[in-house]
């Protein structure tokens, strides 16, 4: 399945944004774009990109493309770095999102008899309510517990016989470890995990799968595009199906902005096709992936992107070499005796950039031998030298949200560096 789109539908969405969104009215005027002259996909590729920085500038409601009486809700992306981005929704937007989410659950094999424990947060952040609305749309039982409170999570999981766990991969791992620690494995009824909001490697997936005895599904989405639920992998796990009746996906070279052919890895750029309250045209997600150029063996018509391999902003350049977390996952798969958890610490010492690769190892391994093997593999696969430190299983921090793995201290004070090293 190629990343094709009916051009008329794409054009309609472009014209809608150009006429109704204050943000796009200004952006297109600035770039001298007359959307009436966009008559082909080639013309469409001349339309400027927008990204989060641009959206922040029109805080709070500069994206709103409908009158106030049509807006039923807003969500906001986390404002950890600067101004948050506010996304308004019409009633139809909310319904479309639930529809997409229900489709995700169906692809993951859920039915009305499932009991779905929802651990992502509720509120301004879009995650929790998306999981819940989709669940209700499907007709399964939602258990909207939200994040944290591991005691309560485990109690609900056992007493209510939860069959589906919705979580970030970090939190799923934390719960899996607790289930094992407390010997609850025979008391839980989990069958599936819907895991989203951060990229996870195969090793981490394998541990969650084995410790909880469940099948994992990788759900994709971002607040600017409704929230999670704009794509998921099916039972074949060959890639993430996305809803091409709601979005047009393009892959670009993050440095040059050039559109890449299907199959090549680059940055995902999304155009919404039906979003009314806050349409987005050629929005840069900063997620690295590729469009899979063939149809999934499940036979469904929805096209696929590959698992997200990282973010353009997670990518760090050390001694002229790009390192991104997806590469580290690949490297760790090759080495026997490693857990899924690691940290990459980059710092400056004696006029040189140095890399420390900290990794958790399985119990009863020869850490000295392993350290040598890791250092050698790191040099071969990544292309630069790293010092390795093997730590005990469970020693690196676990998170209820997203785990931070890359720490770049090159431009920060010595003191801060010492706190981590
Ligand atoms: Zn499929």
């Amino acid at each position: 399945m190629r990343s094709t789109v009916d051009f008329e539908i794409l054009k309609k969405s472009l014209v809608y944004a150009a006429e109704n969104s204050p943000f796009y009215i200004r952006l297109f005027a600035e770039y001298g774009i007359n959307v009436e002259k966009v008559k082909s996909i080639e013309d469409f590729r001349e339309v400027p990109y927008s990204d989060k920085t641009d959206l922040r500038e029109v805080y709070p409601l500069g994206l709103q493309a409908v009158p106030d009486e049509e807006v039923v809700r807003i969500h906001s992306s986390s404002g950890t770095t600067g101004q948050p981005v506010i996304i308004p929704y019409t009633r139809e937007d909310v319904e479309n999102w639930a529809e997409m989410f229900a489709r995700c659950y169906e692809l993951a094999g859920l039915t009305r008899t499932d009991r779905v424990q929802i651990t992502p947060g509720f509120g301004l952040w879009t995650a929790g309510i998306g999981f819940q609305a989709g669940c209700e749309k499907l007709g399964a039982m939602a258990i909207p517990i939200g994040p944290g409170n591991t005691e309560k999570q485990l109690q609900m999981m056992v007493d209510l016989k939860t069959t589906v766990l919705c979580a970030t991969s970090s939190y799923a791992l934390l719960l899996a470890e607790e289930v094992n620690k407390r010997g609850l494995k025979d008391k839980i009824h989990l069958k599936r995990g819907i895991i989203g909001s951060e990229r996870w490697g195969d090793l981490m997936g394998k541990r969650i799968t084995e410790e909880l005895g469940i099948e994992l599904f990788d759900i994709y989405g971002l607040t600017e595009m409704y929230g999670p639920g704009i794509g998921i992998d099916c039972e074949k796990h060959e890639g993430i199906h996305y809803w091409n009746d709601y979005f047009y996906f393009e892959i670009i070279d993050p440095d040059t902005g050039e559109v890449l052919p299907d199959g090549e890895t680059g940055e995902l750029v999304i155009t919404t096709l039906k979003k009314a309250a806050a349409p987005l045209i050629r929005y840069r997600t900063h997620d690295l992936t590729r469009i899979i150029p063939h149809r999934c063996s499940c036979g469904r018509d929805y096209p696929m992107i590959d698992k997200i391999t990282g973010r353009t902003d997670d990518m760090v350049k050390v001694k002229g070499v790009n390192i991104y977390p997806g590469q580290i996952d690949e490297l760790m798969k090759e080495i026997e005796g490693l857990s899924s958890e690691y940290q990459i610490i980059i710092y400056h010492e004696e006029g040189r950039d140095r890399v420390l690769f900290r990794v958790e190892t399985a119990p009863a391994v020869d850490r000295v031998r392993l350290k040598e093997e890791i250092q050698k593999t790191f040099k071969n696969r990544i292309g630069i030298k790293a010092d390795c430190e093997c730590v005990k299983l469970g020693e690196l921090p676990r998170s209820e949200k997203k785990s931070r793995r890359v720490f770049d201290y090159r431009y920060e004070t010595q003191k801060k560096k010492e706190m981590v090293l």
Side-chain angles (χ1 to χ4, degrees), residues 107 232-241 295-302 304:
L107 246 69
I232 194 168
D233 56 345
C234 68
E235 72 283 357
K236 300 289 183 188
H237 305 291
E238 291 172 14
I240 296 170
H241 287 285
R295 185 192 284 259
C296 181
S297 67
C298 73
R300 289 182 182 93
D301 280 335
Y302 298 116
M304 290 187 292

Side-chain angles (χ1 to χ4, degrees), residues 331 334-335 373-382:
L331 153 111
E334 282 181 22
I335 302 167
E373 187 187 345
I374 296 167
Q375 290 183 165
K376 211 170 116 198
T377 314
F378 197 99
K379 176 89 176 60
N380 286 342
R381 294 293 300 251
I382 312 291

